Amino acid sequence: MDWNALRDACRSLEPGAELVTPVSERAFRITDALEDRLVIQFVDSGEERPLHREQFDVLAEQLEGGPIPLAELPPGVEPYASVLSLSVEHVSDGQTLERAPEEAVAGESPHLVPPEDARTSLERVHDDATLLADQLERLERDGREEPSTLDTETLTDLYVLLSDVQRGSDRVRRTTSGTLLERLGPDQQLHGRFGTVRRTTRDRRQPKDEDVVLDALDEHGIPHEWVLGVDSDKLDVVLAVTDLEPDAVYDVEQQVYVQKTGVDEGEKYSRLQGLAERLEDVDAETAGQIDESLYDDLSDLEQRLEEALSSG
């Protein structure tokens, strides 16, 4: 096994890229590539673990005898197999790992997750919000704040970013809501710096079985026809098996809307990297002045808010 080539392939991975173990599907990142070992960190637990060069040699020797089914690997060997699939000698099809120098491409593996796909839900919302903020700042700076003034490509990008931020933040909101409900008692309110939440109960009614409903009506002398209406499910069946036209029994209101059908995550991630590089290029002294000024402004705003709230 070419240890140096494997180590170089690991060092060449994009920042934020992850590998996934083939059976237990645990994601991990390679945090260091040393002379005699690699250091990995599992994403779910933060646990760090060394992968020793000697153990890679042992696994590579086993592969000289033929492919190894990944499903039979012990949990402790799984990270070795995922990393070895990055080498210039070994390949994995997701089911087996084998030595195949003629097919192997250094740094490519089905167990490799690119950084744009490896992000957590919070990271995705943060990144999309960053891109949206940058887009809005550019439009404001150019005096193009009204949608009607934008070219089609810019308008499309703006819509996609707005949609992604909305959907991503809503997923996080639902997760946050579940956790808050565990901490909220009846009629209790929780206060944060930005607002207040409370537990709210809403009844959603669904009719009982028809016989139960009709018996209850009979007990109170209520005619059945008062509550019996057209069943849309049954009506659809009639439309399907007869020549009755839908517009004879349905009032149809057509809604036209824009639907997002695709997102280029790679392009978004590339744009994020460009923003990061722009920040790194800012002069250190100027950046320090900006940070100090911003800190003073935020401190002043915080003090004024606290005074206003305390006086109220």
Side-chain angles (χ1 to χ4, degrees), residues 145-158:
E145 300 179 45
E146 290 296 325
S148 59
T149 66
L150 303 181
D151 59 87
T152 302
E153 181 179 357
T154 301
L155 192 61
T156 300
D157 286 341
L158 180 60

Side-chain angles (χ1 to χ4, degrees), residues 178-202:
T179 304
L180 278 173
L181 282 175
E182 297 175 358
R183 304 179 186 181
L184 275 167
D187 300 322
Q188 181 186 5
Q189 291 187 340
L190 294 179
H191 304 278
R193 292 177 62 89
F194 304 125
T196 302
V197 296
R198 62 172 297 172
R199 176 188 287 267
T200 301
T201 301
R202 181 181 301 160

Side-chain angles (χ1 to χ4, degrees), residues 232-280:
S232 60
D233 290 337
K234 295 179 180 178
L235 190 58
D236 287 341
V237 173
V238 172
L239 290 172
V241 299
T242 68
D243 58 358
L244 182 65
E245 294 295 330
D247 57 4
V249 292
Y250 279 124
D251 289 326
V252 180
E253 180 182 357
Q254 188 177 61
Q255 293 182 327
V256 180
Y257 59 96
V258 175
Q259 181 184 19
K260 182 185 66 180
T261 59
V263 178
D264 191 336
E265 293 292 346
E267 178 63 26
K268 286 165 60 177
Y269 194 78
S270 176
R271 176 64 183 162
L272 280 168
Q273 289 179 315
L275 291 175
E277 291 171 1
R278 264 172 44 195
L279 291 175
E280 291 176 359

